[in-house]
């Protein structure tokens, strides 16, 4: 095709191809087999499908390499499978279409939610994309991801080889990823990283429509829409989808209006669908502006737009400096206080959390990573990463699932040139400390450092709107005039449309009644137009001063009234969340499990047992009922997979205590779990394992890509009450039927529960399974029906 990809995206809608795997099911693809295997065994079948898409009008076709990775294909064959996939696609595309390298997820839970590390994921993706690149691929689509952390590993690997990287996620029916991540966060994160386009695939058309409409509100990128052809249904013993190609094509104009610039199809779509689309208007109907200028911070579950109209509160307590208990716990390897403090500050009104984990005797790369992991599991707020260690900062910024702030870079040429390119690469905002070659003593010196920082940022290409200036707060006991210079600098930068940040607590260092001094400075800074305030959110005097100042100087009377109505006990409760194990008198075992407090739950279980409650009573009245509440929160969209994992860990910690008190003869019900042959996506099964164990079941995990004969041998050996089969891909669902059939042939009548996003009760009945579970909690309900 003529013209570069970037220019084409500005001029017209880029039309991708449709499904590959589901169209290979009648071309020799065996149930449970990776579609990429046909690149070697039946290349003509792959070519014919891709050629049909080009003939139908597709501008680009994807290589048949979505599931080609070391977890799914033997390493000795992987290079050949990928290269052959590229050759077939190039042959089919000719000069009429782009060839895009298709890369899918690895099917692993990435830390902090699983055992697979970000670095491991990066290395695997790098090896895959390197083969694609050597074979001549220059454009990449990373698709069907359900975790921002994993997608970032793939993206960083892809950017080593190309600037043309598209990123697409799969969403559940609740409009979020499996990990509970927002479409807006996905869009903001990958726009900041430099993606060419971002969007949604392998999801229902209505879900995609809503998601890209929301994405359009926060980014200026072309958006991707690759819908499935509805849900799975059974017809004449074959897997079909509920929507026809024509039905899905009817969404085209709505996708365009919502902001889509790249449109294709996923599971169940065919060349006929692409032919319908190619007949429609291909003019760009979206906003073609460049990178969004709106200052947005994002965590997996939170979007924070900062427009300067009202100050943003940053919690300061996640810092061992001046906090002996936190430092002591860091030295002992205990990071639970980071999670507890993060949760407490969020409850008290913080909007961002500043994170520092520096202890001179410890490895800061490790301490920062573990601290951030703990915070991600306990808070929904965006983070400010506070470290002067370059490698530690780079590590956190590389995997953080969102857009945060780096705090801070001194206004010196050498440091600016070292730090700003790295911060820009990872899509973060940057705080510039107005410390130059020396500590500034005057307003003029501060402003001179602003000019210097802006000049260096411009030469590097760091966006001015992503800079935050720290005019510095010094102790009033040392030099009171510095306060006036700081506030004057804030006011001047505010008038220039630049953002500012102040560490308020520094002003009261060494003085009594610190809260009053901090509160007055916060109010004065708000009047001057400060953008961010770093304070202690648990300090009611300071937070009250901030609320009052916002009412008087920013017109936020409603916020002031609402805060004044806040029950004082709620503020006190926020404080007591710090170190929940220290306030166990008002904290029940149910609370601990529901909130996922791994430290408190075993202690509370011990106390209940010591009081005379039976082990069976604890399981029935605390653990089971608590997990039911967690399940209800999940179904309401109040909890997500990270929350479920936390609760499961807390329940398991309590069970580890309780099991010593259970009757020795009574064995726990046993369950076998396996991801079926050909499917290497282990996430759903691993989550089920944790939840089932936390509910008191003994789980035998056979792993992923498990053949039917291995499952049969395990059933014969372990005699479980049920077998749980997991399959993420439509193309591997047929293997579930194979397993059930072989179990029955062998005379094993164990109940089989099938799980995955595409399973249904209809499919379960058709293959003879006991039931279908689209999520882990549905699976738990089915298990309880059995026993």
């Amino acid at each position: 095709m003529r013209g570069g990809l970037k220019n084409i995206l500005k001029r017209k809608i880029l039309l991708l191809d449709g499904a590959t795997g589901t169209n290979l099911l009648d071309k020799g693809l065996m149930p449970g087999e990776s579609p990429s295997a046909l690149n070697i065994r039946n290349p003509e079948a792959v070519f014919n499908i891709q050629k049909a898409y080009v003939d139908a009008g597709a501008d680009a076709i994807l290589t048949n390499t979505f599931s080609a990775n070391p977890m799914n294909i033997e390493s000795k064959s992987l290079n050949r499978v990928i290269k052959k996939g590229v050759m077939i696609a190039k042959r089919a595309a000719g000069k009429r279409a782009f060839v895009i390298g298709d890369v899918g997820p690895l099917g692993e839970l990435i830390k902090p939610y699983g055992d697979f590390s970000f670095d491991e994921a990066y290395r695997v993706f790098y090896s895959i994309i390197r083969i694609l690149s050597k074979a001549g691929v220059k454009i990449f689509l990373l698709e069907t991801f359900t975790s921002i952390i994993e997608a970032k590993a793939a993206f960083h690997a892809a950017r080593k080889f190309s600037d043309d990287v598209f990123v697409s996620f799969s969403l559940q029916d609740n409009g979020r990823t499996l990990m509970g991540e927002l479409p807006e966060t996905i869009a903001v994160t990958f726009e900041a990283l430099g993606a060419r386009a971002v969007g949604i695939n392998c999801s229902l058309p209505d879900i995609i429509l809503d998601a890209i409409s929301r994405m359009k509100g926060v980014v200026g990128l072309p958006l991707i829409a690759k819908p499935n052809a509805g849900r799975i249904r059974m017809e004449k013993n074959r897997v079909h989808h509920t929507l026809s190609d024509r039905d899905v094509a009817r969404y085209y104009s709505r996708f365009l209006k919502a902001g889509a610039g790249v449109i294709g199809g996923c599971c169940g779509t065919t060349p006929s669908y692409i032919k319908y689309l190619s007949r429609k208007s291909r003019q760009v109907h979206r906003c073609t502006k460049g990178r969004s200028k709106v200052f947005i911070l994002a965590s997996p579950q939170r979007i924070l737009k900062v427009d300067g109209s009202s100050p943003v509160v940053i919690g300061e307590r996640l810092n061992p400096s001046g906090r002996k208990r936190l430092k002591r716990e860091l030295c002992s390897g205990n990071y639970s206080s980071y999670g507890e403090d993060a949760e407490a500050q969020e409850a008290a009104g913080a909007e961002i959390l500043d994170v520092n984990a520096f202890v001179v005797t410890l490895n800061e790369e490790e301490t920062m990573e573990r601290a951030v992991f703990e915070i991600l599991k306990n808070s929904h707020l965006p983070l400010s990463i506070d470290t002067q260690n370059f490698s530690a900062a780079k590590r956190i910024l590389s995997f953080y699932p969102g857009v945060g702030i780096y705090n801070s870079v001194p206004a010196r040429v050498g440091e600016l040139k070292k730090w700003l390119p790295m911060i820009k690469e990872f899509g973060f905002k940057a705080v510039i400390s107005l410390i130059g070659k020396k500590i500034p003593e005057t307003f003029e010196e501060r402003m001179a450092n602003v000019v210097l920082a802006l000049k260096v940022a411009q030469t590097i290409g760091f966006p001015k709107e992503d800079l935050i200036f720290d005019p510095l707060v010094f102790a009033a006991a040392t030099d009171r005039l510095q306060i006036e210079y700081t506030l004057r600098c804030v006011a001047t930068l505010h008038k220039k449309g630049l953002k500012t940040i102040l560490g308020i607590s520094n002003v009261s260092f060494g003085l009594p009644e610190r809260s009053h001094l901090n509160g007055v400075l916060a109010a004065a800074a708000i009047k001057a137009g400060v953008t961010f305030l770093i304070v202690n959110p648990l300090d009611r005097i300071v937070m009250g001063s901030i609320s009052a100042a916002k009412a008087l100087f920013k017109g936020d009377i409603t916020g002031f009234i609402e805060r004044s109505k806040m029950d004082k006990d709620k503020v006190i409760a926020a404080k007591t969340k710090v170190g929940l194990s220290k306030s166990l008198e008002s904290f029940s075992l149910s609370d601990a499990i529901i909130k996922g407090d791994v430290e408190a739950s075993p202690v509370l279980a011990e106390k209940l047992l010591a009081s005379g409650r039976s082990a069976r009573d604890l399981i029935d009245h605390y653990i089971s009922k608590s997990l039911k509440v967690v399940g209800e929160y999940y179904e309401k969209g109040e909890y997500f997979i990270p929350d479920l994992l936390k609760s499961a860990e807390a329940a398991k910690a309590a069970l580890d205590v309780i099991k010593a008190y259970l009757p020795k003869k009574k064995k726990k019900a046993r369950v076998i779990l396996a991801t079926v042959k050909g499917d290497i996506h282990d996430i759903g099964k691993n989550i089920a394992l944790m939840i089932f164990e936390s509910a008191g079941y003994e789980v035998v995990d056979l792993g992923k890509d498990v053949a039917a004969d291995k499952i049969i041998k395990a059933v014969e050996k372990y005699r479980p009450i049920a077998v749980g089969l997991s399959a993420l891909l439509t193309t591997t669902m047929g293997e579930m039927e194979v397993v059930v059939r072989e179990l029955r042939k062998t005379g094993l009548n164990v109940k089989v529960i099938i799980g995955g996003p595409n399973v249904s009760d209809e499919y379960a009945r058709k293959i003879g399974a006991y039931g279908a579970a689209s999520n882990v909690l549905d699976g738990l309900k089915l298990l309880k029906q059995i026993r």
Side-chain angles (χ1 to χ4, degrees):
M1 293 186 69
R2 299 177 65 181
L5 180 64
K6 189 174 181 180
N7 290 329
I8 287 174
L9 287 171
K10 289 180 179 179
R11 292 188 284 106
K12 61 177 286 187
I13 302 302
L14 186 71
L15 188 58
L16 303 180
D17 58 13
T20 298
T22 52
N23 289 313
L24 286 172
L25 286 172
D26 59 354
K27 305 294 182 182
L29 182 66
M30 303 297 292
E33 185 178 31
S34 168
S36 59
L38 267 66
N39 292 345
I40 305 299
R41 203 177 73 247
N42 192 354
E44 282 305 303
V46 178
F47 169 79
N48 289 336
I49 289 171
Q50 293 182 332
K51 180 69 161 48
Y53 280 124
V54 175
D55 291 343
D59 298 316
I61 55 172
L62 305 180
T63 57
N64 182 33
T65 54
F66 172 78
S67 57
N69 60 55
M71 340 310 262
N72 201 26
I73 295 174
E74 292 182 4
S75 56
K76 63 181 180 181
S77 304
L78 184 62
N79 188 70
R80 184 172 170 230
V81 167
I82 294 176
K83 284 186 175 179
K84 187 69 173 178
V86 176
M87 289 175 61
I88 296 168
K90 284 186 172 182
R91 180 178 155 219
K95 295 183 179 180
R96 293 192 290 161
F98 290 108
V99 170
I100 299 178
D102 194 16
V103 179
L106 304 178
E108 299 283 351
L109 268 178
I110 310 295
K111 290 182 179 180
Y113 309 112
D115 296 325
F116 210 71
S117 75
F118 179 84
D119 291 341
E120 287 176 301
Y122 173 83
R123 286 192 291 270
V124 173
F125 284 121
Y126 185 90
S127 67
I128 296 166
I129 294 165
R130 184 170 180 266
I131 298 170
L132 285 166
S133 179
K134 280 191 168 185
V137 173
K138 297 179 181 178
I139 309 167
F140 299 94
L141 171 62
L142 317 175
E143 65 172 336
T144 324
F145 280 81
T146 59
S147 158
I148 292 177
I149 293 178
E150 184 181 12
K152 284 188 76 171
F155 185 85
H156 294 321
R159 280 301 294 267
K160 296 295 182 184
F161 299 94
S162 174
D163 288 334
D164 292 325
V165 183
F166 295 2
V167 185
S168 184
F169 278 68
S170 177
L171 301 182
Q172 300 185 105
D173 287 354
N174 62 8
R176 296 188 182 222
T177 69
L178 182 68
M179 303 307 293
E181 297 155 340
L182 293 167
E184 293 93 332
T185 296
I186 293 167
V188 169
T189 299
F190 287 96
E191 181 185 50
L193 290 171
R196 189 67 74 200
V198 64
I200 309 297
N201 76 292
C202 204
S203 306
L204 296 174
D206 287 321
I207 299 296
I208 292 180
L209 187 62
D210 178 69
I212 63 173
S213 296
R214 292 161 61 181
M215 288 175 157
K216 182 182 179 183
V218 294
V219 298
L221 286 176
L223 300 174
I224 302 167
K226 285 188 61 187
N228 288 344
R231 300 185 186 277
I232 297 289
R233 63 181 171 83
M234 296 303 302
E235 185 177 293
K236 296 181 181 178
N237 296 323
R238 289 288 308 275
V239 173
H240 290 270
H241 288 76
T242 55
L243 296 179
S244 68
D245 285 324
R246 188 184 293 273
D247 292 334
V248 185
R250 290 192 179 105
Y251 281 85
Y252 180 81
S253 60
R254 283 183 280 173
F255 285 151
L256 261 60
K257 188 176 180 181
V262 181
I263 300 179
C266 213
C267 299
T269 57
T270 75
S272 294
Y273 164 68
I274 299 303
K275 194 167 186 178
Y276 285 129
L277 298 190
S278 68
R279 296 169 180 167
K280 298 177 182 289
S281 169
R282 303 286 293 283
Q283 297 303 307
V284 174
H285 288 258
R286 60 181 172 79
C287 176
T288 55
K289 65 183 180 181
R291 181 180 178 276
S292 173
K293 301 297 182 183
V294 180
F295 188 103
I296 301 176
L297 298 172
S299 70
Q301 293 91 19
R302 191 71 54 86
I303 286 286
L304 180 63
K305 293 184 180 181
V306 180
D307 59 10
S309 62
S310 185
V312 177
V313 172
I314 301 179
E316 70 180 6
R317 290 178 55 81
L318 302 175
N319 190 331
S321 177
R323 297 193 63 199
K324 292 181 180 179
R325 180 177 67 86
L326 194 58
K327 182 177 180 180
R328 187 168 60 249
E329 291 180 358
L330 275 177
C331 291
S332 68
N334 181 1
Y335 289 79
S336 61
S337 287
Y338 274 89
E340 292 164 358
D341 269 338
E343 187 181 3
Q345 290 183 97
E346 181 174 349
E351 298 164 272
I352 303 169
L353 298 173
D354 192 67
V355 188
N356 183 297
F358 174 71
V359 176
V360 68
T361 57
L362 300 178
N363 180 336
E364 197 174 0
E365 278 191 58
E366 181 181 338
T367 59
M368 278 297 288
E369 181 177 70
R370 292 184 64 183
V372 169
F373 281 171
E374 194 66 25
I375 296 163
L376 284 173
K377 292 190 287 185
N378 288 277
S379 172
H380 295 161
L381 299 182
L383 301 185
S384 166
I385 304 303
D386 185 356
T387 176
Q388 295 304 301
N389 183 310
F390 189 85
S391 59
K394 185 175 181 180
R395 186 171 188 80
I396 304 304
L397 270 59
S398 67
F399 76 76
Y400 179 70
V403 175
I405 295 171
Y406 172 72
N407 183 19
S408 62
V409 185
R412 295 189 288 266
V413 174
E415 280 89 340
L416 290 166
K417 288 185 175 181
K418 174 184 179 181
W419 284 88
L420 288 183
M422 184 271 287
I423 298 168
K424 180 186 176 186
E425 177 185 358
F426 295 118
F428 264 53
K429 317 298 184 182
V431 172
I432 306 299
S433 171
L434 296 184
I435 295 177
K437 293 181 179 178
K438 65 183 185 68
I439 295 175
E441 296 180 1
T442 66
F443 164 76
E444 289 75 18
E445 288 175 349
R446 286 172 168 83
M447 291 305 298
N449 290 334
V450 171
V451 172
L452 172 68
L454 286 171
K455 183 177 179 181
V456 175
Q458 185 177 20
T459 61
I460 291 170
F462 195 98
K464 180 175 71 173
E465 57 271 14
D466 286 350
L467 295 174
I468 307 164
F469 295 94
D470 181 2
L472 307 172
V473 174
F474 298 112
T478 304
D479 185 354
R480 188 191 62 77
L481 281 176
Q482 290 298 322
I483 300 169
E484 295 182 16
Y485 299 146
T486 294
L487 292 173
R488 183 181 171 192
C489 188
V490 168
T492 302
L493 294 177
H494 178 64
K495 289 178 181 177
K496 292 179 177 289
L498 298 173
K499 300 171 186 68
T500 54
I501 186 170
L502 293 180
I504 294 298
S505 300
N506 292 339
V507 74
S508 61
F509 184 77
L511 293 171
E513 301 290 340
R514 296 189 66 183
S515 295
H516 294 287
L517 292 169
N518 295 345
V520 170
L521 179 59
I526 291 170
K527 184 179 181 182
V530 73
T531 317
F532 300 93
L533 293 168
I534 304 178
V535 299
N536 176 8
L538 304 185
D539 190 324
R540 291 184 60 231
I541 293 175
V542 172
M543 293 299 283
S545 297
I546 291 173
S547 179
K550 287 166 68 175
L552 294 177
F553 306 129
K554 300 296 180 179
D556 187 12
I557 301 295
T558 301
F560 177 76
I561 294 171
E562 289 176 355
R563 181 169 181 84
S564 67
K565 290 179 180 178
M566 181 187 284
D567 188 341
K568 292 181 181 179
D569 291 339
K570 290 183 180 179
V571 180
I572 294 169
K575 289 186 177 183
T576 59
K577 285 182 181 180
V578 182
L580 288 171
S581 58
K582 297 174 177 59
S583 57
L584 294 179
E585 295 301 322
S586 59
F587 200 59
S588 73
L589 178 57
S590 295
D591 293 331
I593 293 170
I594 292 168
K595 296 188 71 61
D597 192 310
V598 179
E599 286 194 344
S601 61
V603 177
L604 289 162
E606 286 278 17
K607 288 183 68 175
L608 286 169
L609 290 165
S611 72
R613 302 292 290 271
S614 71
R616 192 74 254 167
D617 189 36
L618 264 63
I619 292 173
D620 293 340
H621 290 88
Y622 287 91
I623 293 178
S624 294
K625 288 185 177 180
S626 299
L627 289 176
K628 183 180 179 182
V629 172
V630 170
E632 290 170 354
Y633 286 170
Y634 179 78
E635 289 173 355
K636 292 176 184 175
E638 297 174 14
Y639 268 24
F640 304 99
I641 291 300
D643 303 297
L644 294 187
L645 296 178
K646 275 176 56 186
S647 294
E649 288 177 9
K652 190 173 184 301
L655 277 172
D656 288 342
V657 171
I658 296 168
K659 66 184 179 183
Y661 296 83
L662 288 169
K664 300 297 182 184
K665 292 183 180 179
K666 189 172 179 65
K667 293 183 178 180
K668 291 190 289 186
R670 186 177 289 153
V671 180
I672 288 176
L673 294 182
T675 299
V676 296
K677 180 182 176 183
D679 202 317
I680 50 84
H681 297 83
D682 226 11
I683 293 176
K685 177 185 65 62
N686 289 341
I687 293 168
L689 188 153
M690 291 189 66
I691 298 295
F692 293 171
E693 283 188 340
S694 72
Y697 293 92
E698 179 186 342
V699 180
V700 178
D701 180 15
L702 300 184
K704 57 192 176 185
D705 192 18
V706 184
D709 60 343
K710 184 176 179 180
I711 296 171
I712 290 168
K713 289 177 182 177
V715 172
E716 291 173 336
K717 178 179 179 180
Y718 295 107
R719 296 294 170 179
I721 64 164
V723 173
L725 300 179
S726 172
L728 176 70
L729 304 175
T730 307
T731 54
T732 59
M733 285 177 59
E735 184 66 14
M736 292 174 162
E737 183 175 8
V738 173
V739 173
V740 175
R741 184 173 64 243
E742 292 304 311
L743 282 169
R744 303 301 176 246
K745 278 185 181 178
T746 318
L748 298 170
N749 292 316
V750 63
K751 290 179 171 59
V752 177
I753 298 172
I754 58 174
N758 296 312
V759 301
S760 65
D761 291 333
E762 178 193 8
Y763 186 60
R765 286 192 297 271
K766 186 264 173 186
I767 68 174
Y770 178 76
S774 59
N775 63 65
V776 65
L777 295 171
D778 287 343
L780 187 58
K781 290 176 184 176
L782 290 170
L783 275 183
K784 288 182 176 179
Q785 291 174 13
I786 297 170
R787 180 174 174 183

